[in-house]
PDB file of all heavy atoms in Angstrom:
ATOM      1  N   MET A 271       9.308 -15.075  40.177  1.00 85.00           N
ATOM      2  CA  MET A 271      10.390 -15.629  40.976  1.00 85.00           C
ATOM      3  C   MET A 271      11.444 -16.271  40.093  1.00 85.00           C
ATOM      4  O   MET A 271      12.646 -16.050  40.264  1.00 85.00           O
ATOM      5  CB  MET A 271       9.829 -16.682  41.941  1.00 85.00           C
ATOM      6  CG  MET A 271       9.676 -16.199  43.362  1.00 85.00           C
ATOM      7  SD  MET A 271       8.582 -17.255  44.320  1.00 85.00           S
ATOM      8  CE  MET A 271       9.526 -18.730  44.480  1.00 85.00           C
ATOM      9  N   LEU A 272      10.981 -17.068  39.127  1.00 86.00           N
ATOM     10  CA  LEU A 272      11.934 -17.742  38.245  1.00 86.00           C
ATOM     11  C   LEU A 272      12.704 -16.726  37.411  1.00 86.00           C
ATOM     12  O   LEU A 272      13.905 -16.875  37.189  1.00 86.00           O
ATOM     13  CB  LEU A 272      11.193 -18.731  37.332  1.00 86.00           C
ATOM     14  CG  LEU A 272      10.651 -19.949  38.077  1.00 86.00           C
ATOM     15  CD1 LEU A 272       9.827 -20.820  37.146  1.00 86.00           C
ATOM     16  CD2 LEU A 272      11.794 -20.766  38.671  1.00 86.00           C
ATOM     17  N   ALA A 273      12.010 -15.689  36.961  1.00 83.00           N
ATOM     18  CA  ALA A 273      12.689 -14.650  36.197  1.00 83.00           C
ATOM     19  C   ALA A 273      13.774 -14.006  37.049  1.00 83.00           C
ATOM     20  O   ALA A 273      14.894 -13.770  36.580  1.00 83.00           O
ATOM     21  CB  ALA A 273      11.680 -13.604  35.735  1.00 83.00           C
ATOM     22  N   ALA A 274      13.468 -13.760  38.324  1.00 86.00           N
ATOM     23  CA  ALA A 274      14.461 -13.167  39.217  1.00 86.00           C
ATOM     24  C   ALA A 274      15.653 -14.104  39.374  1.00 86.00           C
ATOM     25  O   ALA A 274      16.813 -13.690  39.315  1.00 86.00           O
ATOM     26  CB  ALA A 274      13.824 -12.880  40.579  1.00 86.00           C
ATOM     27  N   VAL A 275      15.355 -15.402  39.557  1.00 90.00           N
ATOM     28  CA  VAL A 275      16.436 -16.385  39.716  1.00 90.00           C
ATOM     29  C   VAL A 275      17.364 -16.350  38.507  1.00 90.00           C
ATOM     30  O   VAL A 275      18.591 -16.365  38.632  1.00 90.00           O
ATOM     31  CB  VAL A 275      15.843 -17.798  39.915  1.00 90.00           C
ATOM     32  CG1 VAL A 275      16.906 -18.861  39.714  1.00 90.00           C
ATOM     33  CG2 VAL A 275      15.235 -17.914  41.301  1.00 90.00           C
ATOM     34  N   ILE A 276      16.775 -16.267  37.327  1.00 88.00           N
ATOM     35  CA  ILE A 276      17.593 -16.287  36.111  1.00 88.00           C
ATOM     36  C   ILE A 276      18.488 -15.054  36.034  1.00 88.00           C
ATOM     37  O   ILE A 276      19.678 -15.145  35.719  1.00 88.00           O
ATOM     38  CB  ILE A 276      16.685 -16.399  34.871  1.00 88.00           C
ATOM     39  CG1 ILE A 276      16.103 -17.803  34.806  1.00 88.00           C
ATOM     40  CG2 ILE A 276      17.467 -16.104  33.607  1.00 88.00           C
ATOM     41  CD1 ILE A 276      15.074 -17.993  33.737  1.00 88.00           C
ATOM     42  N   LEU A 277      17.919 -13.890  36.346  1.00 87.00           N
ATOM     43  CA  LEU A 277      18.727 -12.677  36.296  1.00 87.00           C
ATOM     44  C   LEU A 277      19.890 -12.743  37.282  1.00 87.00           C
ATOM     45  O   LEU A 277      21.004 -12.310  36.988  1.00 87.00           O
ATOM     46  CB  LEU A 277      17.860 -11.445  36.584  1.00 87.00           C
ATOM     47  CG  LEU A 277      16.902 -11.032  35.467  1.00 87.00           C
ATOM     48  CD1 LEU A 277      16.146  -9.781  35.849  1.00 87.00           C
ATOM     49  CD2 LEU A 277      17.656 -10.801  34.167  1.00 87.00           C
ATOM     50  N   ILE A 278      19.617 -13.321  38.462  1.00 90.00           N
ATOM     51  CA  ILE A 278      20.684 -13.426  39.463  1.00 90.00           C
ATOM     52  C   ILE A 278      21.751 -14.417  38.997  1.00 90.00           C
ATOM     53  O   ILE A 278      22.950 -14.188  39.165  1.00 90.00           O
ATOM     54  CB  ILE A 278      20.092 -13.840  40.824  1.00 90.00           C
ATOM     55  CG1 ILE A 278      19.110 -12.780  41.313  1.00 90.00           C
ATOM     56  CG2 ILE A 278      21.192 -14.041  41.844  1.00 90.00           C
ATOM     57  CD1 ILE A 278      18.298 -13.206  42.502  1.00 90.00           C
ATOM     58  N   LEU A 279      21.303 -15.522  38.376  1.00 91.00           N
ATOM     59  CA  LEU A 279      22.249 -16.501  37.856  1.00 91.00           C
ATOM     60  C   LEU A 279      23.199 -15.857  36.847  1.00 91.00           C
ATOM     61  O   LEU A 279      24.410 -16.066  36.886  1.00 91.00           O
ATOM     62  CB  LEU A 279      21.483 -17.630  37.165  1.00 91.00           C
ATOM     63  CG  LEU A 279      21.395 -18.979  37.874  1.00 91.00           C
ATOM     64  CD1 LEU A 279      20.637 -19.950  36.999  1.00 91.00           C
ATOM     65  CD2 LEU A 279      22.775 -19.527  38.189  1.00 91.00           C
ATOM     66  N   ILE A 280      22.628 -15.067  35.945  1.00 89.00           N
ATOM     67  CA  ILE A 280      23.446 -14.389  34.936  1.00 89.00           C
ATOM     68  C   ILE A 280      24.474 -13.510  35.626  1.00 89.00           C
ATOM     69  O   ILE A 280      25.659 -13.500  35.278  1.00 89.00           O
ATOM     70  CB  ILE A 280      22.553 -13.558  34.001  1.00 89.00           C
ATOM     71  CG1 ILE A 280      21.726 -14.480  33.117  1.00 89.00           C
ATOM     72  CG2 ILE A 280      23.392 -12.620  33.150  1.00 89.00           C
ATOM     73  CD1 ILE A 280      20.773 -13.768  32.206  1.00 89.00           C
ATOM     74  N   ARG A 281      24.015 -12.789  36.622  1.00 88.00           N
ATOM     75  CA  ARG A 281      24.902 -11.934  37.385  1.00 88.00           C
ATOM     76  C   ARG A 281      26.060 -12.760  37.967  1.00 88.00           C
ATOM     77  O   ARG A 281      27.220 -12.364  37.920  1.00 88.00           O
ATOM     78  CB  ARG A 281      24.072 -11.259  38.478  1.00 88.00           C
ATOM     79  CG  ARG A 281      24.799 -10.453  39.465  1.00 88.00           C
ATOM     80  CD  ARG A 281      25.238  -9.132  38.883  1.00 88.00           C
ATOM     81  NE  ARG A 281      26.116  -8.528  39.863  1.00 88.00           N
ATOM     82  CZ  ARG A 281      25.716  -7.620  40.744  1.00 88.00           C
ATOM     83  NH1 ARG A 281      24.484  -7.175  40.713  1.00 88.00           N
ATOM     84  NH2 ARG A 281      26.552  -7.148  41.638  1.00 88.00           N
ATOM     85  N   GLY A 282      25.721 -13.949  38.495  1.00 90.00           N
ATOM     86  CA  GLY A 282      26.744 -14.813  39.059  1.00 90.00           C
ATOM     87  C   GLY A 282      27.766 -15.262  38.023  1.00 90.00           C
ATOM     88  O   GLY A 282      28.952 -15.369  38.308  1.00 90.00           O
ATOM     89  N   PHE A 283      27.296 -15.517  36.813  1.00 89.00           N
ATOM     90  CA  PHE A 283      28.206 -15.968  35.766  1.00 89.00           C
ATOM     91  C   PHE A 283      29.146 -14.873  35.294  1.00 89.00           C
ATOM     92  O   PHE A 283      30.265 -15.132  34.909  1.00 89.00           O
ATOM     93  CB  PHE A 283      27.398 -16.500  34.567  1.00 89.00           C
ATOM     94  CG  PHE A 283      26.994 -17.924  34.722  1.00 89.00           C
ATOM     95  CD1 PHE A 283      25.681 -18.273  34.956  1.00 89.00           C
ATOM     96  CD2 PHE A 283      27.952 -18.933  34.655  1.00 89.00           C
ATOM     97  CE1 PHE A 283      25.309 -19.587  35.112  1.00 89.00           C
ATOM     98  CE2 PHE A 283      27.585 -20.252  34.810  1.00 89.00           C
ATOM     99  CZ  PHE A 283      26.262 -20.588  35.042  1.00 89.00           C
TER     100      PHE A 283
END
Side-chain angles (χ1 to χ4, degrees):
Chain A
M271 258 163 69
L272 290 175
V275 165
I276 288 173
L277 287 182
I278 298 170
L279 254 182
I280 290 177
R281 174 75 189 263
F283 275 109

